[in-house]
Amino acid sequence: MNSLFSESYNLNLIDSDISYYPNFISTDKADTYFEVFKNTIPWQQDDIQIFGKVYAQPRLTALFGEKGKPYGYSGITMMPQSFTSELLAIKTLLETKVAIHFNTCLLNLYRDGNDSNGWHADNEKELGENPAIASITLGQERYFHLKHRTQKELKHKLLLEHGSLLLMQGKTQHHWLHQIPKTKKIIKERINLTFRVVY
């Protein structure tokens, strides 16, 4: 499908509700946002706990949100900072498009192909029963992999483009795992804004 001629489309995977908006933010604005976030966000690298072992998280992160609601995953508990004007502008655009009020944004900075995000579901208790996760890509495009939890043959791969939005809703997190895998290609930095509702 040619992204230049589509505003959005549903991935039509069973047990899911996943939509992709390839041109959610214009290239010029996405370029500006990338530079602002890269240079002004207080990025940090936390240790995460996976199967009882502690590792340095293979990417940098930052958390922003409303009303100081903490967010925890993989043994980390993060306290949010207040939304910046740029994050609020994107949040407003997003909420106008999808009619969901997001109160938290977890930002990820993938510095090169060695930075990644392993197989997981965004199913933390504080995200509610059927989490809505809105993922916006700025900078380097990266492949996003999906696999069904029980029907192992069901897999999908999608290239997340600069300025794009991927929206996962409904029972997606119950049935599907996702990842951003490492790559040996020489690539540039990617910033990922993941808006979510923390209860």
Side-chain angles (χ1 to χ4, degrees), residues 7-9 19-25 93-94 97-98 102 133-137 158 160-168 193 195:
E7 183 186 0
S8 70
Y9 61 90
S19 297
Y20 184 60
Y21 302 74
N23 303 298
F24 178 67
I25 298 175
L93 177 66
L94 174 62
K97 176 69 74 174
V98 304
F102 294 97
I133 309 292
S135 174
I136 295 168
T137 292
L158 177 68
L160 301 181
E161 301 158 289
H162 181 47
S164 68
L165 163 65
L166 182 76
L167 179 65
M168 297 183 284
L193 316 179
F195 287 90

Side-chain angles (χ1 to χ4, degrees), residues 16-90:
S16 78
D17 181 358
I18 307 174
S19 297
Y20 184 60
Y21 302 74
N23 303 298
F24 178 67
I25 298 175
S26 70
T27 300
D28 287 348
K29 282 189 177 180
D31 289 345
T32 300
Y33 283 136
F34 176 87
E35 290 301 325
V36 170
F37 294 143
K38 177 184 171 183
N39 294 309
T40 64
I41 294 297
W43 299 104
Q44 63 191 61
Q45 184 173 28
D46 292 305
D47 288 335
I48 55 173
Q49 188 168 331
I50 303 174
F51 302 121
K53 294 187 177 181
V54 176
Y55 303 90
Q57 194 166 212
R59 61 190 179 281
L60 305 183
T61 60
L63 187 71
F64 290 78
E66 298 173 353
K67 300 178 182 175
K69 289 177 183 270
Y71 178 59
Y73 65 97
S74 300
I76 301 170
T77 299
M78 301 180 74
M79 295 301 298
Q81 302 177 69
S82 297
F83 283 119
T84 66
S85 58
E86 293 84 9
L87 285 171
L88 280 174
I90 294 173

Side-chain angles (χ1 to χ4, degrees), residues 5 8 12 21 41 50 73 75 92 94 105 121 145 157 178-179 185 195:
F5 298 98
S8 70
N12 293 320
Y21 302 74
I41 294 297
I50 303 174
Y73 65 97
T92 299
L94 174 62
C105 182
H145 291 187
K157 182 168 72 170
H178 57 272
Q179 71 164 353
K185 292 181 180 178
F195 287 90

Side-chain angles (χ1 to χ4, degrees), residues 51-191:
F51 302 121
K53 294 187 177 181
V54 176
Y55 303 90
Q57 194 166 212
R59 61 190 179 281
L60 305 183
T61 60
L63 187 71
F64 290 78
E66 298 173 353
K67 300 178 182 175
K69 289 177 183 270
Y71 178 59
Y73 65 97
S74 300
I76 301 170
T77 299
M78 301 180 74
M79 295 301 298
Q81 302 177 69
S82 297
F83 283 119
T84 66
S85 58
E86 293 84 9
L87 285 171
L88 280 174
I90 294 173
K91 189 170 95 77
T92 299
L93 177 66
L94 174 62
E95 291 173 348
T96 301
K97 176 69 74 174
V98 304
I100 298 170
H101 176 75
F102 294 97
N103 61 14
T104 302
C105 182
L106 176 64
L107 290 80
N108 297 285
L109 172 58
Y110 297 83
R111 296 160 292 183
D112 55 32
N114 289 316
D115 277 359
S116 62
N117 199 342
W119 287 114
H120 70 286
D122 294 310
N123 58 0
E124 289 78 23
K125 184 172 62 175
E126 58 262 51
L127 297 179
E129 172 130 11
N130 293 315
I133 309 292
S135 174
I136 295 168
T137 292
L138 302 171
Q140 176 69 51
E141 56 190 26
R142 292 285 294 262
Y143 276 106
F144 182 80
H145 291 187
L146 289 147
K147 67 177 180 181
H148 197 278
R149 284 178 179 273
T150 56
Q151 300 186 49
K152 304 298 186 184
E153 73 281 1
L154 295 180
K155 300 176 182 178
H156 190 78
K157 182 168 72 170
L158 177 68
L159 187 64
L160 301 181
E161 301 158 289
H162 181 47
S164 68
L165 163 65
L166 182 76
L167 179 65
M168 297 183 284
Q169 300 183 86
K171 296 193 175 293
T172 303
Q173 305 303 324
H174 295 267
H175 299 287
W176 290 83
L177 301 173
H178 57 272
Q179 71 164 353
I180 299 285
K182 295 180 187 296
T183 176
K184 292 183 178 179
K185 292 181 180 178
I186 304 300
I187 59 171
K188 297 180 181 179
E189 295 161 308
R190 170 183 184 254
I191 292 174

